[in-house]
Amino acid sequence: MSTQPPAGARPTVRAADETDRTALAGLLRSAGLPLDGLDEAWRTVVAVVPAGTAAAPVVVGGAALERHGCGSDTALLLRSVVVAPPWRGTGTGARLVRHLLDGAASTAAPQAPVALLTETAGDWFGRLGFRVVAREDLPTALSASVQVASACPASAVAMLRARDTGGAATLPSP
Ligand SMILES: CC(C)(COP(=O)(O)OP(=O)(O)OC[C@H]1O[C@@H](n2cnc3c(N)ncnc32)[C@H](O)[C@@H]1OP(=O)(O)O)[C@@H](O)C(=O)NCCC(=O)NCCS
C-alpha cells in the first residue's frame, strides 16, 4: 500500500479518481477512520508518489470535503484526512488539507465555513487554523452529513475554521 519515502521525496497532490478508491479505503481502514459517505464527498484528493519499478503510482494519503446546504447556508466538512505511516511528518497531511481548502476557496462556496470531527488529531488541526467548538455550534447544514449524524462517535471533537482568514482570526473563542 505504501512505500518508504526516499530522502526529499514529495508526493503529488491531485484529485482522486476511481482507481484511487481501493488504496484510499485501505489507508482509512488502517487508521480506523469511517468510510461512510465517502463516495458522496464533494471533493477528494490523494497524495501520490511514483511507484519506482512498479507500473502504477502509489497513493500515500488522502482527504475529502463534503459540501452541504446552499447559498449562505453552505457549509463544508473536512473528513478522511489520512497519511500512510511511513509518510507522516513530511508535510503531506498539511498539503492535502491546504489543497482542498484552496480549491474550495476558488469555487461557488468561498465563504462557507469548514468544520470537522476528530477523535485523534485535534492538536494537528489546530495548527491548520481550526478551533474547537461545541458540537451543537456546527453549521446546521452539516446535520445532513452521515459523518456528523452517525459515523463519528459522540466523543469526537468538533472543530471549525473560517474561510480565507488564515484561521482563527475571525473565529469566536471556543
Ligand atoms: C493526522 C495526520 C493526517 C497528519 O499527517 P502528516 O502528514 O503526518 O502531517 P504533517 O506532516 O503535515 O504534520 C506533522 C506534524 O504534526 C504532528 N502531528 C501528526 N499527527 C498528529 C496528531 N494526531 N495530533 C497532534 N499532532 C500531530 C507531528 O508530530 C508533526 O509535528 P512537527 O512538525 O512538530 O514534527 C496523520 O498523522 C494521520 O494520517 N493520522 C491517522 C489518521 C487521522 O488521525 N486523521 C485525522 C482524523 S480525520
Side-chain angles (χ1 to χ4, degrees), residues 1-3 11 16 19-35 38 44-49 57-63 80-88 92-93 96:
M1 180 74 60
S2 63
T3 57
T19 65
D20 303 316
R21 180 189 303 239
T22 303
L24 185 53
L27 289 177
L28 291 169
R29 280 196 199 93
S30 296
L33 297 179
L35 276 69
L38 182 61
T44 302
V45 294
V46 287
V48 180
V49 291
V58 178
V59 172
V60 298
S80 302
V81 184
V82 67
V83 174
W87 290 83
R88 290 178 190 169
T92 302
L96 285 161

Side-chain angles (χ1 to χ4, degrees), residues 31 33 81-83 88-94 118 120-121 123-125 127:
L33 297 179
V81 184
V82 67
V83 174
R88 290 178 190 169
T90 64
T92 302
T118 183
T120 56
D123 289 347
W124 186 73
F125 284 114
R127 291 188 188 189

